[in-house]
Amino acid sequence: MRKLALALLAAGAALTLVGCTATADPQFAPPSGSPAEFPDWVREDFADEYSDLTLVSEGIAEAGDDLIYSARDNKDNVCVVVVVPPTDGGNGDDWFVSAGCGPTAIFAERGAMVSYGGGGRSGGAHLLPPGFDEPLEAGWSRVSPQLAIRN
């Protein structure tokens, strides 16, 4: 009986350790997003930094003309990438890319966030992990289950 109790205790401890050290890879791309590529006017040096691009702002009126993507960077961090298009009054070079990236474990807890600004345009995007139910900071609006924006 004592050997059985010790065996069960050892098995329980092993299972607990496995559960504590295993890390889940949370889904960082919302299921409603569309696999995507950057627009042609984004230079290759930006496009080469990111993989697994998913357009998460598709159909979200609050995003305006800004394109918001979930992605992974070259270090396998989870990123939210905002591409702000050229303005009608500009010469075509007034677009910009801003990104906020972090390790998968941090994304699983808090998501990935970026604030951006330039040329009179500013805002922010917060890619939320699945099941995120924390209150958002003042000025942020949740526009989908996995996306909040700040205008």
Side-chain angles (χ1 to χ4, degrees):
M1 181 73 169
R2 186 176 181 149
K3 287 183 182 181
L4 177 60
L6 286 174
L8 289 173
L9 183 61
L15 288 173
T16 300
L17 287 175
V18 168
C20 291
T21 58
T23 57
D25 188 14
Q27 180 183 5
F28 72 94
S32 61
S34 303
E37 294 182 3
F38 286 130
D40 291 339
W41 40 264
V42 173
R43 291 194 310 261
E44 283 184 28
D45 52 337
F46 288 104
D48 291 343
E49 290 184 38
Y50 304 102
S51 62
D52 297 332
L53 281 175
T54 300
L55 182 61
V56 297
S57 62
E58 185 172 39
I60 297 176
E62 295 89 344
D65 292 332
D66 298 345
L67 303 171
I68 305 171
Y69 299 88
S70 64
R72 290 209 182 260
D73 68 7
N74 293 334
K75 297 177 184 173
D76 205 33
N77 290 311
V78 177
C79 303
V80 57
V81 182
V82 179
V83 177
V84 179
T87 61
D88 292 335
N91 62 2
D93 283 341
D94 58 348
W95 60 271
F96 58 91
V97 175
S98 292
C101 302
T104 301
I106 300 297
F107 174 76
E109 293 176 21
R110 297 188 303 242
M113 184 184 297
V114 63
S115 292
Y116 59 92
R121 300 175 287 173
S122 64
H126 188 175
L127 183 64
L128 306 167
F132 186 84
D133 61 357
E134 300 293 321
L136 299 173
E137 293 179 17
W140 289 88
S141 299
R142 195 169 195 154
V143 295
S144 77
Q146 278 193 266
L147 182 63
I149 61 171
R150 183 182 68 213
N151 289 324

